[in-house]
Amino acid sequence: MGQKAAKLNPAVLKDLYTSTYFSEVEIKEWYACFRKECPTGYLTRTEFVALYKKMFVAGDCSQFAEQAFRTYDRDGSGKIDFREFMCALSLMSRGTVDEKLTWAFSMYDVDGDGEITRVEMRNMIRSVYLLVGEDIMYTILPEQLTPQQRADRIFSRMDKDGDEQVTLKEFQIAARLEPSLVMLLQIGD
């Protein structure tokens, strides 16, 4: 006989209802799916990367998936629990523009110091190119720029004060003013 799936704790349900943009019914449905896919109650880094590989078969998703995993794993435990999963999913699918931009900023700000460096920008843009595939990137974006050229161009446009650091505020302003930046930021969502 198989194990019966654990039931969602009412306190967790209430917390997620108030912390996300999902209804109680949606949370329960997501919980059933999550427990089916993750019977341990959490998603490991390896499992997370494997999911990305199923979604992005044309490219190499490993670098991008690593960055995404870090933003999901809010407590730094090395695994994503149901609460972390739902909060990230809610934000990406139904969050406000500011919430989505803050999440995207955290993807680029690898060391979590509140600023994006040119190196962090280059690494993230390179991971997007690998995720989607360079040939596809060259078709969906008008300029034929290498990942480094594109990262440097984006970085220069965002770093308004020229201090070689992009703050959340600079990031949000630039993303709002240039639709092409937003498109590039959304590719991995």
Side-chain angles (χ1 to χ4, degrees):
M1 246 171 118
Q3 282 185 318
K4 187 177 178 184
K7 197 168 183 175
L8 183 60
N9 180 312
V12 172
L13 176 62
K14 183 179 179 182
D15 172 52
L16 285 171
Y17 179 71
T18 59
S19 303
T20 69
Y21 295 107
F22 292 114
S23 70
E24 287 187 8
V25 170
E26 290 171 316
I27 294 166
K28 288 176 182 177
E29 288 172 354
W30 274 108
Y31 185 72
C33 291
F34 187 86
R35 289 300 298 207
K36 182 179 178 188
E37 293 297 318
C38 308
T40 60
Y42 57 85
L43 189 59
T44 66
R45 182 180 308 270
T46 304
E47 293 166 335
F48 187 82
V49 172
L51 282 175
Y52 260 79
K53 285 181 180 178
K54 287 180 186 175
M55 292 186 298
F56 295 95
V57 293
D60 176 2
C61 69
S62 54
Q63 287 182 17
F64 188 89
E66 287 289 330
Q67 299 307 327
F69 182 86
R70 181 182 46 78
T71 63
Y72 275 73
D73 181 21
R74 302 303 291 170
D75 65 2
S77 66
K79 54 190 174 189
I80 300 168
D81 64 25
F82 181 66
R83 186 181 197 294
E84 290 169 321
F85 175 79
M86 288 303 294
C87 288
L89 183 63
S90 172
L91 186 142
M92 290 185 302
S93 64
R94 299 180 183 176
T96 66
V97 171
D98 280 338
E99 288 171 330
K100 289 177 181 182
L101 289 175
T102 300
W103 180 82
F105 181 85
S106 72
M107 285 267 301
Y108 284 69
D109 181 20
V110 176
D111 63 8
D113 68 352
E115 298 173 321
I116 300 169
T117 65
R118 187 176 297 271
V119 170
E120 288 173 322
M121 179 70 71
R122 285 177 178 169
N123 289 340
M124 195 63 209
I125 297 300
R126 184 174 35 255
S127 74
V128 171
Y129 270 68
L130 290 170
L131 172 76
V132 176
E134 283 196 40
D135 292 342
I136 295 171
M137 288 299 292
Y138 292 135
T139 28
I140 61 174
L141 295 172
E143 309 91 9
Q144 301 291 302
L145 301 175
T146 66
Q148 183 170 334
Q149 289 170 327
R150 185 161 310 282
D152 287 345
R153 176 190 260 179
I154 292 170
F155 190 87
S156 296
R157 288 181 180 169
M158 289 185 170
D159 184 23
K160 292 297 184 190
D161 60 8
D163 66 351
E164 289 298 306
Q165 308 273 330
V166 173
T167 64
L168 175 59
K169 186 87 169 156
E170 288 172 318
F171 186 86
Q172 289 172 326
I173 290 168
R176 287 178 190 278
L177 293 176
E178 297 199 40
S180 64
L181 297 180
V182 175
M183 185 182 93
L184 185 61
L185 296 172
Q186 292 174 335
I187 287 172
D189 287 355

